[in-house]
Amino acid sequence: MWDWLARGVQGLVDAGAKYTEYRHFIDGLLQDRSEPEVLVALREKVLAMGDGEYVLFRMVLAQAIQQAEAQVRQLEDRGWGSSHEDRMARMLAQIQSGQGPEEDQPLAQARLLHQNLQHCLQIADALRSDPSARQQLDAYLARFETAPDAAPSTSPRQAPAPEDCIDLSGMPIDASREELFAWLQQVFEEERRKGRFDPVREQALSNLMHRLGRVIRRDAAQEREFETGEPDLAALRADLQDRMAQVAELRDMIDEVRPLVRDIRTVPPLPEGSRLARVAGLLSEVQEHLMGAINVKTVGHQAELDALTQIYVQLAGIINRIRRGQGDGVDADAWLVSLEHDSLRSLIHRLRLFERRGHLMLARPIWSGWSVKPDVNFLLYAGPHETGERVRATAAAIGLEVSAGHQPGTDPAFNRWKEAQRAGIAVFDLSERDPQVFYQLGQVYALGTEVLLLCRAGVVVPFDVAQDLVVYEDMADLEAKLPVALDAVLFGIQTRSMGTHLRATLEYCRRIAEASEHAAGDGNIAVVIGQMQEAVGRPLAFRAALEQFLGQLGNDALHILQPRWPASYPDPGRPRCFIVMPFDPDLALTQAVYKSLDERLRAAGVEPVRGDIAEGQDIIQSIWDETTRASHVVVDLTSFNPNVCLELGMADTLGRRVLLIGAAGTEKALFPVIAKRRCHVYDEDYAEDAAFSALVDSLIRSVHSQARV
């Protein structure tokens, strides 16, 4: 016994020493080091750890992130004051002076530290879980090794501008608005003298600059007027109204610039019909969307606005690189593929996650194992073999890896689930109405993956699939349309933010913690839930706390999803069962079984919800909502209705308890990914079938006794 106790004490001592070591490493990681030095140190440390050591290291790093975030919040609160009157006075002062609070410099440093620590965690996770991430990091660091004379610095280095690129390196950082506008006017005049602008655009930009200058000069004059005397309340109110009008005018100007950003006329222009021109056009649409989001401030917190602005700046830089070309003798298509493979697709993926930031959801997929991080260069395909060959050829030409599909010796259900998780985009051909294709469509909808849907002309898709289809006549027509359609999905945003819906996920986490023996009495989990409560209106901070919650809980069955639609969860106080089946009048037996189920469930105090009468204007979203709200789902596979198969894919991804039923013979035709599951069958004598009656009784007991947690 004493030996066991001694070993336990020694283990605690060792863990404490490791904790201290990791904390010192993290504290010193970002101190006076260049970016390559930080990355090299992080790589060597993380890759030298065992699995147990990395779990502890990750916990220490996550705690450092939480402390940095708390510091940011403290500085933000200090800058605004604690009372309503303090905040209003501070707001008026900022409006008048244009100055931030005195803590702006410490606040900026705290935000930068928080952001850098988050990046370190993302890089560390990628290095541990993805061998390709190590190769990408090595390739990135190799660029710095080719320039040994470069002075190490933790600040960004400004590369000299190419001859055909506008040089913005001289932009004053700590300048007044008047000084910044004067510099901008100087750059504009210099570019105009060089003949860089399209003549029509030159006039439009000249008018815009004139109006912008007028607003800035008027604003500066008002500030000087206030400095000369003590304004009364009426003057303050008038000034506030005038400044609000100026803000509205500036936003109008931004709206006028958006079409110019969307369709910049370069000199010389990009080759008409080229992939460069097509991708540049698609990215300009994304850039316009970002500009509008920043302009109307659709994000609710400074950290989110900073993240969105960072994406915008990076995207603008990439678009600029595409438009200015890479010089003579360079294969433009190959250069573009390299650019998108290494950075562009990852940037677009970040934007997609940002758009779905308010859809964060916890799920228990029916397949075991840790979640797989998306690979932006991996494409999931499902559909006819002939179409698949065209998809593979088109994807290979732009550096995309395509899923292998069935692999001998592997479980098809588990294999396809891992491929679905890994996919950056998915391409499905619905022409043959293959039930497995629709099942996988349900999976990727639940995962939030961008999807390209194909269909041969003349085939009727049995329901609204929530997006447009690419319809093709034959394989030649498909080959012509596929490159354009694939680019539209690669560089488009199919899901726009539907607001923040995180309170439901917070309450679900509370229920999980209450039901978990591991969480009982764990003070750390209580602290993390408190952080989630504080961050419920800030999705980026909420996700960091949610990841910490799962780490503390130690439950690898729970996965974080960012689905296409917002999250909902079963209500433990409202027993609910979602019933999906082919509601076809010709299937009289199936309709009779539904009626029997409906009556039995209602009589037992369970609310049955029919799949074809789910509330809502958007059919697929209504089905999603009902699936998320139900703890149990009855799926009737009779005739393998595509709609039913899609709903089954959603339910399995969420981890809802599913009961598979079907008319006699259904169990012999199950498609590959569900072939090993049990399907309970019924026939004309179902009412007298004791086994079927017992099955319904078991379902009712399960709904009542097991709230889905």
Side-chain angles (χ1 to χ4, degrees):
M1 174 179 175
W2 293 110
D3 182 58
W4 172 85
L5 181 60
R7 288 199 303 272
V9 171
Q10 185 61 46
L12 290 173
V13 171
D14 292 343
K18 281 291 183 183
Y19 180 96
T20 303
E21 174 193 337
Y22 294 156
R23 187 69 210 210
H24 286 164
F25 172 79
I26 291 168
D27 289 342
L29 182 62
L30 301 174
Q31 297 294 326
D32 300 322
R33 291 188 178 186
S34 67
E35 180 188 4
E37 290 170 338
V38 171
L39 294 174
V40 168
L42 184 63
R43 177 188 63 185
E44 292 177 351
K45 191 72 172 178
V46 167
L47 294 182
M49 295 176 183
D51 290 341
E53 292 174 317
Y54 182 69
V55 170
L56 178 60
F57 176 81
R58 194 183 192 283
M59 183 187 73
V60 176
L61 182 52
Q63 289 177 346
I65 292 171
Q66 293 169 13
Q67 291 170 358
E69 184 184 6
Q71 178 69 10
V72 169
R73 289 202 302 271
Q74 182 180 2
L75 291 173
E76 288 174 338
D77 292 341
R78 187 186 305 168
W80 286 104
S82 57
S83 70
H84 174 73
E85 290 77 10
D86 288 342
R87 290 171 180 267
M88 290 303 297
R90 190 65 181 170
M91 185 181 299
L92 283 172
Q94 280 193 260
I95 292 175
Q96 291 170 7
S97 66
Q99 300 293 325
E102 294 178 0
E103 291 83 9
D104 270 359
Q105 186 63 28
L107 178 58
Q109 293 174 349
R111 285 176 176 160
L112 181 61
L113 174 62
H114 179 242
Q115 178 182 338
N116 287 341
L117 287 172
Q118 286 182 313
H119 288 168
C120 287
L121 180 59
Q122 293 169 357
I123 292 169
D125 282 345
L127 288 171
R128 293 290 300 187
S129 62
D130 185 1
S132 67
R134 305 173 195 175
Q135 298 172 0
Q136 293 173 12
L137 180 59
D138 291 342
Y140 178 74
L141 291 172
R143 303 176 187 176
F144 295 93
E145 295 173 0
T146 59
D149 297 333
S153 170
T154 55
S155 59
R157 289 187 286 270
Q158 180 69 48
E163 288 297 321
D164 58 348
C165 180
I166 297 177
D167 184 5
L168 302 180
S169 60
M171 182 175 67
I173 302 301
D174 299 321
S176 67
R177 290 188 296 275
E178 290 178 284
E179 293 170 336
L180 188 59
F181 178 75
W183 171 83
L184 184 62
Q185 184 72 41
Q186 180 181 351
V187 171
F188 175 72
E189 295 298 337
E190 180 65 25
E191 296 304 310
R192 184 155 63 174
R193 282 194 297 271
K194 293 178 181 178
R196 297 279 183 88
F197 297 118
D198 173 270
V200 177
R201 293 291 169 85
E202 180 182 341
Q203 184 61 47
L205 288 171
S206 180
N207 292 338
L208 193 69
M209 291 290 291
H210 174 74
R211 291 162 54 200
L212 179 60
R214 185 183 63 209
V215 170
I216 290 175
R217 286 189 293 272
R218 185 170 71 238
D219 184 56
Q222 290 170 332
E223 288 183 0
R224 286 191 291 270
E225 182 179 343
F226 273 103
E227 290 172 358
T228 59
E230 191 69 27
D232 57 18
L233 183 58
L236 283 172
R237 287 175 176 170
D239 180 62
L240 180 58
Q241 290 177 351
D242 189 54
R243 290 178 187 274
M244 291 172 65
Q246 290 180 24
V247 169
E249 185 175 356
L250 288 171
R251 286 181 172 171
D252 288 342
M253 292 183 196
I254 293 175
D255 286 338
E256 292 180 31
V257 171
R258 288 166 66 181
L260 308 183
V261 172
R262 182 174 61 245
D263 183 26
I264 290 181
R265 298 170 189 166
T266 56
V267 182
L270 294 173
E272 185 175 354
S274 67
R275 185 163 185 264
L276 275 175
R278 181 169 70 241
V279 171
L282 291 168
L283 294 179
S284 292
E285 292 178 9
V286 175
Q287 187 182 27
E288 181 187 4
H289 164 69
L290 281 171
M291 182 183 292
I294 294 171
N295 183 27
V296 300
K297 207 169 182 183
T298 56
V299 294
H301 193 265
Q302 184 62 44
E304 294 177 22
L305 185 60
D306 291 345
L308 193 63
T309 302
Q310 184 183 55
I311 293 174
Y312 177 87
V313 171
Q314 289 182 254
L315 181 62
I318 289 176
I319 293 174
N320 189 38
R321 290 176 64 188
I322 291 175
R323 283 177 173 145
R324 72 173 185 248
Q326 295 302 300
D328 297 333
V330 175
D331 185 330
D333 287 337
W335 172 82
L336 177 59
V337 168
S338 177
L339 174 68
E340 58 187 295
H341 184 280
D342 293 346
S343 59
L344 178 53
R345 293 172 190 158
S346 295
L347 182 63
I348 296 296
H349 180 68
R350 279 173 52 200
L351 176 56
R352 290 168 180 159
L353 292 179
F354 184 87
E355 287 286 356
R356 304 197 308 273
R357 67 195 182 281
H359 299 185
L360 283 169
M361 182 177 194
L362 281 185
R364 299 173 183 265
I366 66 170
W367 308 275
S368 61
W370 294 94
S371 61
V372 176
K373 291 186 177 298
D375 179 350
V376 295
N377 296 306
F378 182 77
L379 181 153
L380 174 68
Y381 172 74
H385 175 76
E386 189 177 17
T387 302
E389 292 301 306
R390 270 67 177 182
V391 170
R392 292 179 194 283
T394 304
I398 55 175
L400 286 173
E401 179 187 356
V402 181
S403 58
H406 176 64
Q407 299 178 20
T410 63
D411 177 2
F414 183 77
N415 181 54
R416 293 303 270 176
W417 163 241
K418 291 301 180 184
E419 288 182 334
Q421 286 185 285
R422 182 187 170 198
I425 65 169
V427 179
F428 295 149
D429 190 337
L430 309 181
S431 301
E432 295 182 354
R433 298 180 55 156
D434 182 345
Q436 180 159 304
V437 174
F438 285 91
Y439 177 88
Q440 292 189 257
L441 180 58
Q443 284 182 319
V444 299
Y445 276 161
L447 292 169
T449 311
E450 307 289 298
V451 186
L452 171 60
L453 298 180
L454 311 173
C455 191
R456 187 181 290 273
V459 175
V460 178
V461 177
F463 60 94
D464 180 7
V465 290
Q467 67 184 71
D468 292 334
L469 299 168
V470 174
V471 179
Y472 62 92
E473 297 290 339
D474 51 31
M475 287 298 108
D477 187 35
L478 177 62
E479 287 181 0
K481 291 179 176 178
L482 200 51
V484 177
L486 198 54
D487 280 340
V489 176
L490 281 169
F491 306 114
I493 310 296
Q494 292 179 345
T495 303
R496 304 297 187 186
S497 174
M498 295 183 181
T500 300
H501 302 262
L502 301 179
R503 196 163 297 279
T505 296
L506 171 63
E507 296 305 319
Y508 186 63
C509 289
R510 284 199 174 109
R511 301 210 309 263
I512 290 173
E514 291 170 359
S516 170
E517 294 181 2
H518 173 78
D522 190 330
N524 290 333
I525 289 182
V527 169
V528 172
I529 290 180
Q531 292 174 333
M532 293 168 65
Q533 171 70 48
E534 293 179 7
V536 76
R538 298 177 287 126
L540 299 185
F542 187 90
R543 177 171 186 125
L546 183 60
E547 290 175 345
Q548 181 68 7
F549 172 76
L550 292 186
Q552 293 284 350
L553 199 64
N555 188 338
D556 63 354
L558 286 166
H559 292 201
I560 297 177
L561 304 184
Q562 286 185 254
R564 180 170 287 215
W565 302 284
S568 297
Y569 299 90
D571 181 350
R574 186 181 179 185
R576 192 181 183 97
C577 182
F578 190 41
I579 303 175
V580 292
M581 57 173 51
F583 294 99
D584 184 346
D586 294 334
L587 297 174
L589 177 58
T590 298
Q591 303 311 308
V593 169
Y594 165 73
K595 184 177 179 181
S596 174
L597 279 172
D598 183 86
E599 292 173 352
R600 293 276 300 276
L601 290 169
R602 289 186 189 279
V606 176
E607 180 184 359
V609 179
R610 229 173 97 155
D612 64 331
I613 56 173
E615 297 178 354
Q617 296 295 321
D618 186 321
I619 296 174
I620 299 297
Q621 184 178 351
S622 298
I623 291 171
W624 165 261
D625 291 340
E626 294 300 342
T627 305
T628 58
R629 292 171 187 156
S631 62
H632 292 64
V633 182
V634 176
V635 178
D636 191 322
L637 292 171
T638 303
S639 75
F640 295 98
N641 179 281
N643 197 6
V644 170
C645 296
L646 180 140
E647 292 158 1
L648 176 58
M650 286 183 179
D652 283 347
T653 303
L654 294 174
R656 297 297 180 257
R657 291 184 175 86
V658 172
L659 173 62
L660 297 181
I661 64 173
T666 302
E667 78 283 9
K668 299 176 182 178
L670 300 178
F671 47 90
V673 295
I674 65 168
K676 295 181 180 180
R677 294 167 67 175
R678 184 176 182 184
C679 178
H680 302 270
V681 297
Y682 55 82
D683 55 24
E684 297 288 348
D685 298 326
Y686 73 91
E688 288 77 34
D689 187 342
F692 193 79
S693 180
L695 181 68
V696 177
D697 289 337
S698 175
L699 169 66
I700 292 170
R701 287 194 300 273
S702 179
V703 174
H704 278 299
S705 65
Q706 301 178 25
R708 188 52 169 165
V709 176

